[in-house]
Amino acid sequence: EIMHALKMTYHVQCFKCAACKNPIRNQAFYMEEGEPYCERDYEKMFGTKCHGCDFKIDAGDRFLEALGYSWHDTCFVCAFLSCTPSPAVHLSIALPLISVRETKSESKSTLPNQPGGEDVLLEKG
């Protein structure tokens, strides 16, 4: 039995996950540093989880990095107002310098001396 992957032909039992060494067969796999990984091991080793809901952040998802963690944009909520802050509006409420990253564009701006006295860095990219 053979399979085709990465423009090559393999015996089904020879095309294996670089981590668990189990045959990938006809399942989804991901490449990292030239090595194939099964979906489970790839997520475990290289995936990013949301600190708010503990679910993975998929490619193309809107997310942000704040307080040393990654968050879905809907999971990062204001501890004071219990609402989801908009980067352009609510992040200026007396927060220390934090980095906000969104996967949709590549721009960066700083909101200087916001109420509370500290700059807030907004970063998209």
Side-chain angles (χ1 to χ4, degrees):
E1 191 176 2
I2 62 169
M3 66 176 284
H4 302 282
L6 308 173
K7 298 181 181 179
M8 296 182 72
T9 303
Y10 296 87
H11 292 108
V12 171
Q13 67 273 16
C14 295
F15 189 67
K16 298 178 180 183
C17 171
C20 68
K21 307 297 184 208
N22 287 326
I24 294 175
R25 301 192 183 272
N26 290 323
Q27 302 171 29
F29 67 92
Y30 299 88
M31 297 295 293
E32 186 69 34
E33 297 181 12
E35 298 288 334
Y37 290 87
C38 66
E39 188 170 13
R40 182 181 60 93
D41 286 330
Y42 182 84
E43 291 300 328
K44 184 170 52 172
M45 296 172 70
F46 306 106
T48 302
K49 285 192 174 183
C50 172
H51 186 68
C53 68
D54 205 36
F55 286 104
K56 70 180 180 175
I57 297 174
D58 290 316
D61 282 355
R62 291 176 52 101
F63 74 101
L64 56 95
E65 292 178 348
L67 308 174
Y69 298 100
S70 296
W71 309 74
H72 288 110
D73 62 346
T74 55
C75 294
F76 185 71
V77 296
C78 176
F80 299 110
L81 304 175
S82 297
C83 64
T84 303
S86 162
V89 180
H90 294 101
L91 287 180
S92 64
I93 301 174
L95 293 177
L97 182 66
I98 62 173
S99 172
V100 177
R101 297 174 191 261
E102 294 183 4
T103 60
K104 300 296 183 193
S105 65
E106 296 180 8
S107 64
K108 194 186 272 190
S109 62
T110 300
L111 301 176
N113 297 323
Q114 295 301 302
E118 295 184 336
D119 291 352
V120 175
L121 172 67
L122 298 181
E123 182 178 321
K124 294 182 180 180

